[in-house]
Amino acid sequence: AAAEAAASRKRPAAAPAPGTASVPAGPAGRRGATARWWDRSPVAYPTLAIASVLLLVLGGFVWWLAPTAGRSDAKATANVSDRPSQGTDWPLARKGDVLWKARTVQLLLRANGFDVKVDADYGPATAEAVKQFQSAHGLTPDGKVGKDTWPLLIITVDSRTTKPDAITAVQYLLHHAGVPTDSTGTYTLSTMRSLKEFQESRNLPATGIGDEGTWRALLNAQGPDQHT
């Protein structure tokens, strides 16, 4: 028995079966297995590179779109419209108009010395005042404010303007064109900045002066016509 035990100890260990790889036990063995899987994958490195590039591009795009916190951009806070004017000609204001057309005509009539009520309703009294204004300026008194009457009715608005109703009309039109402006009847620094901002948005010279071109652009930048 002792001889058989000695002989058993002297025999070599059985070799592993052909095609079978022995994997070392423990963490080292697991790392080796992972490395061999990575080496066997022909798309591992290209896939990782493409994914990294895509993530960088996506991150940059999101950063570019994100608004800057706390910015004071007036167009962002005031929702200023960047669309072109709906037209370049003077709009037609006539009896039955309400809201912005009627209010603007009434304010300008008051600035020209006519005692009309500013109620945003182009009624008989407003139409009659327009006829009187037209007659005084050699125009056909039809009671309608169009391409011939507007240029005579408007008043240039700047720091020297002494007609509060004309300034109020500009401030009103600015506010409803998307540029927040206080209706004070006084040409302030805020009014000048609002005018410049509007002029820049309409590709007009940014003078801060409510001249004929600015008046026409302001009128064309208002909302849809309202008529009763």
Side-chain angles (χ1 to χ4, degrees):
E4 290 178 358
S8 175
R9 285 195 298 272
K10 292 179 180 180
R11 282 198 298 269
T20 303
S22 62
V23 179
R30 287 194 295 272
R31 286 195 298 272
T34 303
R36 282 193 299 277
W37 173 84
W38 191 260
D39 293 339
R40 289 197 305 271
S41 176
V43 297
Y45 284 112
T47 300
L48 181 60
I50 293 172
S52 300
V53 171
L54 288 176
L55 284 174
L56 286 172
V57 172
L58 181 60
F61 184 67
V62 171
W63 176 86
W64 181 73
L65 286 180
T68 303
R71 67 178 178 176
S72 58
D73 184 357
K75 289 188 177 182
T77 58
N79 191 29
V80 174
S81 174
D82 290 324
R83 62 177 172 77
S85 297
Q86 295 174 347
T88 56
D89 296 330
W90 293 102
L92 178 64
R94 66 194 191 280
K95 186 178 177 181
D97 284 336
V98 294
L99 301 180
W100 66 269
K101 276 187 180 180
R103 185 179 295 277
T104 303
V105 169
Q106 290 167 342
L107 285 168
L108 286 173
L109 283 170
R110 290 183 63 85
N112 281 277
F114 290 85
D115 187 17
V116 296
K117 183 180 180 181
V118 182
D119 58 3
D121 184 359
Y122 201 130
T126 301
E128 180 59 32
V130 170
K131 289 179 181 179
Q132 294 177 22
F133 176 85
Q134 291 170 324
S135 295
H137 289 81
L139 300 175
T140 301
D142 59 3
K144 300 176 183 178
V145 181
K147 62 183 182 64
D148 296 323
T149 305
W150 279 116
L152 298 173
L153 190 62
I154 62 169
I155 293 174
T156 299
V157 170
D158 57 21
S159 60
R160 297 167 296 180
T161 304
T162 59
K163 303 288 187 179
D165 289 302
I167 298 173
T168 298
V170 165
Q171 292 169 333
Y172 169 81
L173 293 173
L174 281 168
H175 192 79
H176 286 82
V179 185
T181 308
D182 292 334
S183 183
T184 62
T186 304
Y187 185 91
T188 62
L189 287 176
S190 176
T191 302
M192 181 181 68
R193 286 193 294 267
S194 295
L195 275 167
K196 286 184 176 181
E197 181 181 337
F198 175 79
Q199 289 167 332
E200 289 174 352
S201 73
R202 302 290 160 150
N203 296 319
L204 296 170
T207 60
I209 298 173
D211 55 12
E212 182 173 319
T214 302
W215 273 102
R216 189 166 61 247
L218 280 169
L219 290 167
N220 279 294
Q222 301 305 305
D225 293 348
Q226 298 291 330
H227 193 82
T228 59

